[in-house]
Amino acid sequence: GNDDMSKKFAIFSTKMSQTRANLRLFDDIPMYQYTMDYGWGDKEPDRVMAGIGVVTNVIDHLYYPVDKVCWLIEQKILNVSSQRGEQWDTINSILWVASIYLNLMK
């Protein structure tokens, strides 16, 4: 009953998370193009919004390579200590949360 359904949803959630992580491996070119199009935020209504947009883009450009390192560690392609892996995960989470927070501010 409920235990079986819970297990199925947990498996589905894990697989979707893995899929999203794999797809992010290919986001560099679209992110670079978006940043080039955005520039210094000249199309924003004011300089505050433009500044938030530029900072968000910088954070996102830091996030993508860190996320790839975390993925490589998770796949055991990069061999690092568990403490070092946790440090990478922490940096990844900080960048992710900062990007979300700034996007919400906009």
Side-chain angles (χ1 to χ4, degrees):
N2 282 344
D3 285 343
D4 189 44
M5 187 61 87
S6 293
K7 287 177 187 176
K8 287 180 181 181
F9 278 123
I11 291 168
F12 177 77
S13 175
T14 299
K15 296 295 183 182
M16 289 303 293
S17 180
Q18 291 169 349
T19 299
R20 288 181 62 241
N22 291 338
L23 290 173
R24 275 196 313 270
L25 295 172
F26 303 102
D27 281 347
D28 295 283
I29 293 172
M31 180 63 206
Y32 177 76
Q33 184 62 48
Y34 172 79
T35 300
M36 296 307 296
D37 291 342
Y38 187 84
W40 295 105
D42 296 330
K43 295 175 183 146
E44 293 290 353
D46 58 54
R47 298 312 307 157
V48 172
M49 294 303 234
I52 291 172
V54 170
V55 171
T56 302
N57 286 340
V58 169
I59 289 171
D60 288 345
H61 280 282
L62 294 172
Y63 168 77
Y64 280 102
V66 170
D67 194 49
K68 285 173 184 38
V69 170
C70 289
W71 184 87
L72 291 168
I73 292 169
E74 186 178 318
Q75 303 307 312
K76 299 187 181 356
I77 295 169
L78 285 180
N79 187 17
V80 299
S81 69
S82 62
Q83 181 182 7
R84 184 68 66 189
E86 288 174 17
Q87 290 171 340
W88 278 103
D89 281 339
T90 300
I91 293 167
N92 196 40
S93 294
I94 290 168
L95 292 170
W96 180 70
V97 169
S99 178
I100 288 173
Y101 180 75
L102 290 169
N103 275 302
L104 288 173
M105 283 179 55
K106 276 183 74 177

